[in-house]
Amino acid sequence: MSRRRAAEARAPGKLILFGEHAVVYGHPAVAAAVDRHTTVRLERIAGPTRLLSATVDDARLLPALATVLPPRGIGVHLHTTLPVGRGMGSSAALAVALVRALAALEGRRADVEECVRRGFDIERIFHGTPSGLDHTVSALGGAVRYVRGQPPAPIPVAVLPLVVLDTEIAGDTDALVAGVRARRPAVDADLAAIGALVDAMVPALARGDLATIGAGMNENQQRLRRIGVSSDAVDALVDLARRAGAAGAKLAGAGGGGVVIAVAPDPAPVLAAAARRGVPAFAVEIRSPRDPADDPATGTEGPAPPG
Ligand code: PMV
């Protein structure tokens, strides 16, 4: 066993760029890691394993930690810059960061396979039977095209400047998915059109063609409205972003609230418009493939305290 006494690692959250809900019925979706993260710091301590500090308050944290950490000897600090409960994958990022930090504490590096495998056990504590997309994207970084039942395929993205606007409302994913199911077959044509749109967007993302991507987001949002998963709060933020100069905007994730993403070659006016209305908003940049140096895991050498 290494003599590292502390280690820290982080992992990114994600956004669904195109294809949510349609993906449930076998159509493709595109999701991407964002440059906002959950960070986990582990320290060897005397006594039972416990949470030493956290920017999130969630009863599922301790059971999630217990999935991979020993019952004694580890103190945990958690910090996230992701909005929690908005479909941005903060728990998946926690899962991957925890696997990375534990490996770093043991003086080694966790590869993608280990992050995906062990991260899934942690994600299950938060989400029951998740698709596994969130933590896989977090572990891989970059962007992926995803079809249910198949491994996510990494795709290139030139550079995609986005603004994320937060409705501050947590959408209920299960209820929204059930609502779409209940509206079938009337919504099937929209779901199929969303799937076709996703594949039209893949080359536009590779080229960095922001005008085409923006128009695609507007069409995707219109169809998400038609299948009944948008909301007044979402529509208001989509409108706000477009009026402030965004090339396009849509909800990202299950809808009913959550976050709105806007393609904005110049994020400043969109951020300013959000600030004037008191809407939490921030810029993110998507690139794919990611630079592996973006997610460092670091360890501190030294004797562990007697446990
Ligand atoms: O809220 P999120 O980002 O986990 O997205 C849910 C995506 C859906 O397509 C609505 C559901 C699913 O399981 O794919």
Side-chain angles (χ1 to χ4, degrees):
M1 178 66 96
S2 149
R3 294 170 63 246
R4 282 189 170 174
R5 62 181 164 80
E8 184 172 304
R10 66 178 195 173
K14 70 93 182 49
L15 285 165
I16 298 179
L17 302 181
F18 295 101
E20 48 274 270
H21 287 287
V23 73
V24 174
Y25 303 98
H27 300 294
V30 170
V34 298
D35 53 356
R36 287 215 159 199
H37 300 83
T38 298
T39 302
V40 173
R41 180 178 167 79
L42 302 178
E43 292 171 14
R44 295 195 193 274
I45 57 169
T49 289
R50 59 187 180 273
L51 208 49
L52 298 177
S53 70
T55 51
V56 262
D57 181 19
D58 189 318
R60 295 167 297 185
L61 279 178
L62 278 179
L65 297 174
T67 316
V68 286
L69 297 180
R72 298 183 65 79
I74 311 272
V76 184
H77 298 272
L78 294 179
H79 176 80
T80 190
T81 53
L82 290 156
V84 175
R86 302 282 188 281
M88 284 194 70
S90 63
S91 66
L94 161 63
V96 174
L98 179 58
V99 174
R100 284 186 178 149
L102 183 59
L105 192 70
E106 293 165 354
R108 58 189 186 85
R109 226 187 141 75
D111 62 11
V112 170
E113 185 277 327
E114 180 179 354
C115 290
V116 170
R117 180 172 40 80
R118 302 183 81 187
F120 202 33
D121 294 337
I122 305 168
E123 259 292 77
R124 282 202 194 93
I125 304 281
F126 288 101
H127 294 304
T129 52
S131 70
L133 179 62
D134 285 19
H135 84 288
T136 305
V137 171
S138 181
L140 282 170
V144 301
R145 177 181 181 276
Y146 175 71
V147 175
R148 206 173 173 155
Q150 298 176 14
I155 58 166
V157 174
V159 176
L160 181 60
L162 295 179
V163 174
V164 177
L165 303 107
D166 188 351
T167 64
E168 299 185 275
I169 298 163
D172 180 339
T173 301
D174 290 349
L176 288 153
V177 170
V180 172
R181 191 175 298 281
R183 287 187 280 278
R184 295 185 74 204
V187 296
D188 282 358
D190 282 308
L191 295 171
I194 290 172
L197 176 68
V198 170
D199 277 333
M201 288 300 117
V202 169
L205 289 164
R207 288 196 306 274
D209 178 350
L210 301 187
T212 300
I213 296 166
M217 284 199 178
N218 289 338
E219 184 190 335
N220 197 160
Q221 171 61 19
Q222 196 185 347
R223 295 198 185 274
L224 287 164
R225 272 180 60 100
R226 283 164 53 144
I227 67 170
V229 298
S230 196
S231 69
D232 290 348
V234 167
D235 293 346
L237 296 192
V238 166
D239 199 48
L240 180 154
R242 287 188 196 146
R243 281 173 198 270
K250 63 179 276 291
L251 65 84
V259 293
V260 164
I261 54 175
V263 193
D266 180 6
V270 181
L271 291 169
R276 280 196 298 278
R277 297 263 288 271
V279 174
F282 53 88
V284 296
E285 212 173 76
I286 309 280
R287 281 166 197 275
S288 183
R290 63 154 186 153
D291 178 353
D294 284 349
D295 300 306
T298 57
T300 310
E301 303 298 329

